[in-house]
Amino acid sequence: MEPVLRAEDLGVGYGEQDVLENISFQVYAGDFLSVIGPNGSGKTTLLRALSGAIRARTGNVMYKGIPVRDYSRKQLAKSMAFVAQEYAFTHPMTVKEVVLMGRYPHLSRLSFEGPHDLEVARQAMRFTDTEHLGDRRFQELSGGERQRVIIARALAQEPEIVLFDEPTAFLDIGHQVDFFDLIWDLNRNRGLTIVAVSHDINLAAQYSGRMLLMQKGRVYRLGTVSEVVTEDAMRAVYGKQVLLDLNPVTGSPRITLLGRNQGAESGAVVEHRVMPENT
Amino acid sequence: MIAAKPRNILLVCGILSGLFCLVAALGLASGAVPLGFGRLWEVLRGSSGSAVEEMIVLDLRLPRVLLAGVVGFGLGQCGVVFQTLLRNPLAEPFILGISSGSALGAIAAIVLGLQFPAAVSVCAFGGGLVTIALILGISQGRGSMNTTTLLLTGVVLNAFFYSIIMFFVSTSTEEKLHALLFWLYGDLGRSQYLHVAAVAPVVILGALFLYGYAKSLNLLAAGDEAAHHLGIEVEKTKIVLFVTLSLITGFVVSVSGVIGFVGLIVPHLVRMVLGSDHRVLLPAAGLFGACFLVAADTAARVVIAPTELPVGVITAFLGAPFFILVLNRKGSGWSPS
């Protein structure tokens, strides 16, 4: 099967500094890939390079077999959406106006949103539970509401793939779970391909299909959740002792970080560990 | 707030065009020789039988009203686009120093005696373009400009350009002096049909061109990164728009001198009533700018009649307090930058 998105020996740098080196991986249609790694490991840079927002210094990003830089922005925005951490609107705008922005790539220069565009926007708002916010000002919403509106805008683009850049960074834990439920639903029931940078390893492990662990601008490990979230990988990348067990409900690997004085060096940790074969 | 639908946009344009006709009629009737509206109508139809009144209305007032309309239209639209592109509610050609950059270009053309066609307008355009390049260089392509940087940049550029302008003024001959002073404050007192013919095509074509970017501007207001991901070629769009703005500002300044604050007052008032969608905002700010400047110029002609004030005096008198108001206004919906 032809991958939807493919990084081929991708390297990215700002000025003298190389931020990404030798990155190669594939994303297939219907994937839910979480990108994890410490701060400064290049997660966000990778996501921006995948979207064509920054140029590759070496290698290529291929989207549906064509280098991403060969797409016009408008062409790309018809099937790829990007949800960032923060949004800086200068003008006051209503939620409906914000969501309708997602129709831009489908409209010609002088045309107005037609009934079809309004319907697509309405469905996106229904799906993200933002329909009731339509006439409110975007600036007046809570963090969780804004997040959902921005996802609605991304859905209004009618994308096949959505890239999320640490979308839960400013949400409380309840809204973080809501967010993951929502994108899981998009992935499962709408067949959307998802690449999400996440700083919460446990939530990412709970929801995603595959994971990409980054370290210092390189891929440390890529594979299924249980291949990536292992004690040795976590220790090697984060430089911390971890306790690894399984989430009793979902069965996904779960980590607990241990501080310097929390018996990480003693055997106690090993005894408490619930190993996959014991469950 | 008003939804950006073709019907609503036409309605807004219709109402504002009506307002313009009203203000223009007032402008044609007022002055050192006041006329009633009935009398004005007779003069316009050529049935007044008074050559003097016809001369006053058709040769003096009408070109002036038309020029004020065109200049106000251009400045109002430039204000809207500058504010969105620089992501700052105070951005405006005069405050940024672009108007004085254009004025300097025009003055240089006169002093150096450049003779090629439309030399003054072309040099004014060049002056505006160079100024915009300087502003963007100073803000270092960060995409947004915080208010302090923006204001300081404008103050410094204005001071610098004025020093060069004053140098030209000090060293120029008596007969050129009056032509030069005209640039320092905006004045529509020398309006001729020739000026209207020179600047109207640029402002009208510029407006149509900008309108093609109305939706792009909506997205740019959501931030460069968001605009990029929603399908805008951000850098290219900005360059095209900045060049268009310097063209409009340059031509406008070359016939009217430096008229400040129109590009600040007009977009804010329009945005307050109609919302932020550029598909409504752009034509509305243009038309309301036209109304505003015709009204201001009419006031300039009558407040101490028979002596006339330069219209720049009126706009600055209204604009400066308005500027402070916007500067201090909390919760205007503009995100702090």
Side-chain angles (χ1 to χ4, degrees), chain A residues 204-221:
Chain A
Q206 234 171 291
Y207 286 91
S208 45
R210 292 196 304 144
M211 295 181 95
L212 173 72
L213 175 62
M214 294 193 64
Q215 183 188 36
K216 293 179 185 153
R218 290 166 178 269
V219 175
Y220 184 83
R221 196 171 285 178

Side-chain angles (χ1 to χ4, degrees), chain A residues 132-145:
Chain A
H132 62 289
L133 302 173
D135 294 319
R136 296 266 301 278
R137 278 192 180 185
F138 182 78
Q139 282 85 348
E140 294 165 356
L141 304 182
S142 72
E145 288 170 334

Side-chain angles (χ1 to χ4, degrees), chain A residues 2-228:
Chain A
E2 174 77 6
V4 181
L5 197 59
R6 188 167 72 216
E8 293 172 338
D9 191 29
L10 177 66
V12 172
Y14 300 117
E16 294 283 288
Q17 195 156 5
D18 286 323
V19 182
L20 297 179
E21 278 180 283
N22 305 106
I23 306 248
S24 295
F25 66 93
Q26 281 133 30
V27 180
Y28 294 92
D31 262 357
F32 185 153
L33 176 74
S34 285
V35 181
I36 57 171
N39 287 342
S41 60
K43 302 184 295 284
T44 295
T45 306
L46 173 62
L47 209 63
R48 297 184 73 221
L50 292 179
S51 76
I54 35 178
R55 286 278 165 119
R57 189 175 271 178
T58 60
N60 250 328
V61 173
M62 307 291 281
Y63 179 60
K64 293 180 173 178
I66 300 168
V68 82
R69 62 166 174 270
D70 289 355
Y71 284 85
S72 76
R73 289 313 311 172
K74 208 164 175 174
Q75 199 58 42
L76 197 60
K78 281 183 190 172
S79 67
M80 184 193 281
F82 190 104
V83 175
Q85 291 178 31
E86 287 178 278
Y87 334 95
F89 287 84
T90 50
H91 306 301
M93 284 194 171
T94 65
V95 167
K96 210 182 283 170
E97 285 174 330
V98 172
V99 175
L100 278 172
M101 284 180 174
R103 296 307 297 163
Y104 175 86
H106 299 276
L107 294 171
S108 66
R109 190 171 279 283
L110 290 175
S111 63
F112 287 82
E113 294 88 354
H116 173 68
D117 301 296
L118 296 172
E119 183 52 34
V120 171
R122 186 156 43 234
Q123 277 180 15
M125 292 169 79
R126 194 172 303 149
F127 198 80
T128 51
D129 191 25
T130 50
E131 224 179 349
H132 62 289
L133 302 173
D135 294 319
R136 296 266 301 278
R137 278 192 180 185
F138 182 78
Q139 282 85 348
E140 294 165 356
L141 304 182
S142 72
E145 288 170 334
R146 287 187 193 199
Q147 184 73 67
R148 296 209 305 275
V149 171
I150 295 299
I151 294 173
R153 184 175 75 186
L155 292 182
Q157 287 173 252
E158 296 182 295
E160 295 163 36
I161 181 167
V162 186
L163 312 179
F164 291 92
D165 183 17
E166 299 216 20
T168 57
F170 298 106
L171 300 182
D172 61 49
I173 49 172
H175 282 111
Q176 291 185 15
V177 173
D178 288 344
F179 167 78
F180 273 100
D181 277 339
L182 177 59
I183 62 170
W184 187 85
D185 200 11
L186 290 173
N187 176 249
R188 215 27 91 82
N189 300 326
R190 288 203 161 191
L192 234 66
T193 308
I194 286 176
V195 179
V197 166
S198 179
H199 62 277
D200 191 316
I201 296 166
N202 288 331
L203 275 173
Q206 234 171 291
Y207 286 91
S208 45
R210 292 196 304 144
M211 295 181 95
L212 173 72
L213 175 62
M214 294 193 64
Q215 183 188 36
K216 293 179 185 153
R218 290 166 178 269
V219 175
Y220 184 83
R221 196 171 285 178
L222 171 70
T224 63
V225 173
S226 48
E227 283 165 358
V228 172

Side-chain angles (χ1 to χ4, degrees), chain B:
Chain B
M1 299 267 183
I2 181 168
K5 291 179 188 154
R7 198 180 35 148
N8 290 348
I9 294 169
L10 288 176
L11 186 71
V12 166
C13 289
I15 292 171
L16 286 171
S17 302
L19 182 66
F20 179 78
C21 292
L22 210 68
V23 175
L26 198 67
L28 292 176
S30 319
V33 183
L35 298 171
F37 279 134
R39 184 72 182 151
L40 176 67
W41 182 238
E42 285 172 15
V43 171
L44 287 174
R45 284 171 57 212
S47 60
S48 66
S50 161
V52 177
E53 284 178 2
E54 272 185 25
M55 202 235 353
I56 288 174
V57 171
L58 298 180
D59 292 350
L60 294 177
R61 289 181 192 169
L62 187 58
R64 187 163 178 169
V65 163
L66 290 177
L67 192 68
V70 172
V71 166
F73 193 101
L75 290 175
Q77 290 211 319
C78 285
V80 166
V81 182
F82 271 123
Q83 283 156 24
T84 298
L85 286 182
L86 295 173
R87 304 176 65 73
N88 192 300
L90 294 167
E92 191 257 350
F94 169 72
I95 292 165
L96 290 167
I98 295 162
S99 296
S100 50
S102 294
L104 177 58
I107 288 174
I110 295 172
V111 171
L112 301 174
L114 298 180
Q115 289 302 328
F116 58 91
V120 174
S121 294
V122 170
C123 289
F125 163 51
L129 199 60
V130 169
T131 314
I132 287 182
L134 284 173
I135 291 167
L136 295 180
I138 293 167
S139 73
Q140 287 164 342
R142 278 185 304 236
S144 76
M145 254 189 134
N146 70 43
T147 301
T148 316
T149 314
L150 181 126
L151 296 183
L152 288 177
T153 307
V155 167
V156 168
L157 288 177
N158 270 324
F160 182 67
F161 293 146
Y162 272 92
S163 76
I164 303 179
I165 292 172
M166 290 319 287
F167 171 81
F168 282 137
V169 168
S170 313
T171 55
S172 72
T173 54
E174 195 76 18
E175 60 267 29
K176 273 184 180 168
L177 196 61
H178 188 75
L180 293 188
L181 282 174
F182 157 81
W183 301 95
L184 297 181
Y185 43 81
D187 191 357
L188 295 165
R190 307 187 316 163
S191 303
Q192 299 165 10
Y193 287 115
L194 186 67
H195 295 140
V196 180
V199 77
V202 175
V203 169
I204 292 167
L205 291 176
L208 293 174
F209 186 77
L210 288 178
Y211 194 77
Y213 282 89
K215 281 204 298 269
S216 307
L217 284 163
N218 287 344
L219 268 66
L220 285 169
D224 285 2
E225 182 93 15
H228 175 86
H229 292 300
L230 288 166
I232 306 275
E233 315 275 353
V234 173
E235 293 306 316
K236 204 175 106 195
T237 304
K238 283 189 166 180
I239 290 170
V240 167
L241 288 175
F242 276 127
V243 171
T244 310
L245 291 180
S246 13
L247 191 66
I248 297 173
T249 310
F251 270 75
V252 160
V253 168
S254 73
V255 294
S256 67
V258 178
I259 299 178
F261 298 103
V262 178
L264 176 75
I265 298 174
V266 168
H268 278 277
L269 291 180
V270 174
R271 221 182 264 120
M272 260 182 243
V273 179
L274 297 175
S276 306
D277 194 311
H278 288 78
R279 289 171 289 184
V280 184
L281 191 51
L282 276 173
L287 288 168
F288 187 65
C291 300
F292 177 82
L293 200 61
V294 171
D297 189 50
T298 305
R301 284 188 288 129
V302 297
V303 275
I304 52 165
T307 309
E308 293 182 351
L309 287 170
V311 67
V313 172
I314 303 280
T315 61
F317 186 79
L318 296 173
F322 192 88
F323 175 91
I324 309 271
L325 209 68
V326 175
L327 189 64
N328 288 330
R329 188 153 155 247
K330 298 271 188 284
S332 59
W334 288 69
S335 56
S337 55

